[in-house]
Amino acid sequence: MEIKQTAMAGTLESSDIQIVLSQGSNGIEFDLTSDVMKQFGDDIKQTIEDVLKAFKIDSAMVKVVDKGALTPVIKARAITACQRALDMKDQPQWEVL
């Protein structure tokens, strides 16, 4: 699916993550900032990529600011950002959960 609009989910509070999705032109591109980048950077990216694949998004610019979010929080924020970017706020795809 193609991203229709830039969308954001999450906050910059402790134990949260902010994800901004916008249209991309060269696959999935990440701009990731995290205090735990060395330990969990790959896991954060993989969790977000899995959600993007579930929504059939294959081209996007993903800006991520992590403040120590756990995996379920990362997944929830990614799902919300995808639904907003695809303008599906009122018709959630429950099967991706």
Side-chain angles (χ1 to χ4, degrees), residues 22-76:
S22 56
Q23 288 183 340
S25 58
N26 193 21
I28 306 296
E29 299 176 63
F30 278 93
D31 177 8
L32 174 61
T33 304
S34 175
D35 294 338
V36 292
M37 177 73 118
K38 287 183 181 180
Q39 298 93 337
F40 300 110
D42 291 338
D43 292 334
I44 294 167
K45 287 180 183 179
Q46 187 61 54
T47 300
I48 296 169
E49 283 181 1
D50 291 346
V51 172
L52 293 174
K53 286 179 188 174
F55 279 95
K56 297 181 175 75
I57 296 172
D58 54 5
S59 183
M61 175 54 100
V62 185
K63 181 168 176 32
V64 180
V65 180
D66 173 55
K67 296 293 185 178
L70 298 175
T71 302
V73 175
I74 297 168
K75 185 174 179 182

Side-chain angles (χ1 to χ4, degrees), residues 70-89:
L70 298 175
T71 302
V73 175
I74 297 168
K75 185 174 179 182
R77 298 301 191 201
I79 289 169
T80 302
C82 287
Q83 289 178 337
R84 289 175 178 170
L86 297 171
D87 198 25
M88 303 174 75
K89 298 178 289 262

